[in-house]
Amino acid sequence: VTGASFVVFNGALKTSSGFLAKSSIVEDGLMVQITRETMESLRQALRDKKDFKITCGKMDAGDVKEYVDICWVENEEKTNQG
């Protein structure tokens, strides 16, 4: 689990790169590089206020994967203190 001050979603990852998605720490935030199709799905999930999971890593990496989970919560006060 990684805490971050901000998240950047970059929808310019090419399918030919061999990656499902890529995540990296940038300063005190997180940058997630995703394909255009995943960006469209993410936008729709945010509009609908639905949870969304992004699988990061190489397409042929087998079982080792990283995930970026976007989760809606009921009570923001408890999750964003400090």
Side-chain angles (χ1 to χ4, degrees):
V1 175
T2 302
S5 296
F6 63 91
V7 179
V8 175
F9 294 101
N10 178 341
L13 185 68
K14 304 286 183 211
T15 308
S16 61
S17 70
F19 284 91
L20 297 166
K22 293 165 74 173
S23 64
S24 55
I25 307 255
V26 179
E27 296 180 13
D28 60 343
L30 179 68
M31 180 170 68
V32 184
Q33 298 175 5
I34 56 179
T35 62
R36 184 181 333 165
E37 295 80 15
T38 304
M39 180 65 89
E40 290 172 10
S41 298
L42 172 59
R43 286 180 179 156
Q44 189 59 51
L46 292 172
R47 280 188 214 106
D48 296 341
K49 295 186 178 181
K50 304 255 179 178
D51 293 351
F52 193 79
K53 182 180 232 175
I54 299 170
T55 304
C56 299
K58 288 204 167 245
M59 290 182 189
D60 58 358
D63 292 341
V64 181
K65 301 276 188 251
E66 293 179 6
Y67 300 95
V68 175
D69 288 320
I70 296 124
C71 304
W72 291 88
V73 295
E74 293 294 321
N75 186 352
E76 265 187 58
E77 291 177 20
K78 291 182 182 178
T79 58
N80 291 327
Q81 290 179 348

